Amino acid sequence: MPTDPDIVESRVIDTARLDDLRALLGDALDDILRTWLIDAPAILAGARLARLAGEPDALLKAIHGVKGSAGNVGAIELSDVAYTLEQHLKRADPALDLDAELSRLETCYNRAACHIRTLIRS
């Protein structure tokens, strides 16, 4: 059975949050979303670099940044996955497959970015 695109989108983007932000910010929201589309990959790349450099504090800071910025633009799937990863990192979970989780974050970003690009009006 094919997946309903509206259901998939509702798990990726909180459109109600973005509607509220648009009501508050008007067209300025488009600039915020464009900035997020540029900044979020840089934060994710920073997480990868911190992982490769063996810098757990920098990694945790990057993941926290992903969580917050994603939540700010209604990218709820990405924010939720980053939150869960952040909790595992804080507990130093030995079962954590960090490389797989970082790839998962990147996949979530790509899904969110795809939806967000369609919402930018100007």
Side-chain angles (χ1 to χ4, degrees), residues 38-65:
I38 294 166
D39 291 350
I43 298 170
L44 289 166
R48 282 270 184 203
L49 289 174
R51 160 75 166 125
L52 292 172
E55 298 176 358
D57 291 339
L59 175 60
L60 188 59
K61 182 178 179 181
I63 298 304
H64 183 78

Side-chain angles (χ1 to χ4, degrees), residues 16-36 71-74 121-122:
R17 172 144 178 79
L18 288 176
D19 289 345
D20 290 345
L21 287 172
R22 185 152 318 269
L24 182 67
L25 301 171
D27 290 338
L29 177 61
D30 294 326
D31 293 333
I32 292 167
L33 295 175
R34 280 190 205 91
T35 299
W36 183 80
N72 288 341
V73 297
R121 293 183 178 170
S122 56

